[in-house]
Amino acid sequence: MARAKLRPTDVGNATLPVGATHFPTHEGVAPEPFPPGISIRSGRGVQIEFMWDGRRCTETLKGPPTAALVRQAIVKRQAV
């Protein structure tokens, strides 16, 4: 799996809408898609999906779905 590029310029406080697939855009920066296995499933968290012992597993990181929480989810998924 490719490592996600974590940019300090990403807006971390803007709440992302349910079903969002990209980080928010910035001045002159193209929107960067979320890596596979990361999704905004509700207004209360970000869901990660991964395989563990041959089983499909999901875990939800609770909190408002912001770019900062998505970055945390990317790091956690890469650790698995």
Side-chain angles (χ1 to χ4, degrees):
M1 177 182 324
R3 290 192 66 103
K5 296 178 183 176
L6 303 180
R7 297 177 301 194
T9 58
D10 286 338
V11 176
N13 295 330
T15 301
L16 301 171
V18 174
T21 59
H22 289 73
F23 284 104
T25 58
H26 301 284
E27 298 175 14
V29 177
E32 184 178 338
F34 299 156
I38 306 292
S39 59
I40 308 294
R41 299 291 295 184
S42 71
R44 297 178 300 209
V46 176
Q47 186 177 45
I48 61 173
E49 183 177 317
F50 55 93
M51 295 295 288
W52 186 263
D53 287 335
R55 292 185 169 164
R56 182 181 154 267
C57 301
T58 60
E59 184 175 330
T60 301
L61 301 179
K62 298 199 186 287
T66 61
L69 189 61
V70 171
R71 286 193 300 272
Q72 289 176 3
I74 291 168
V75 170
K76 186 166 189 161
R77 186 172 185 275
Q78 288 174 345
V80 175

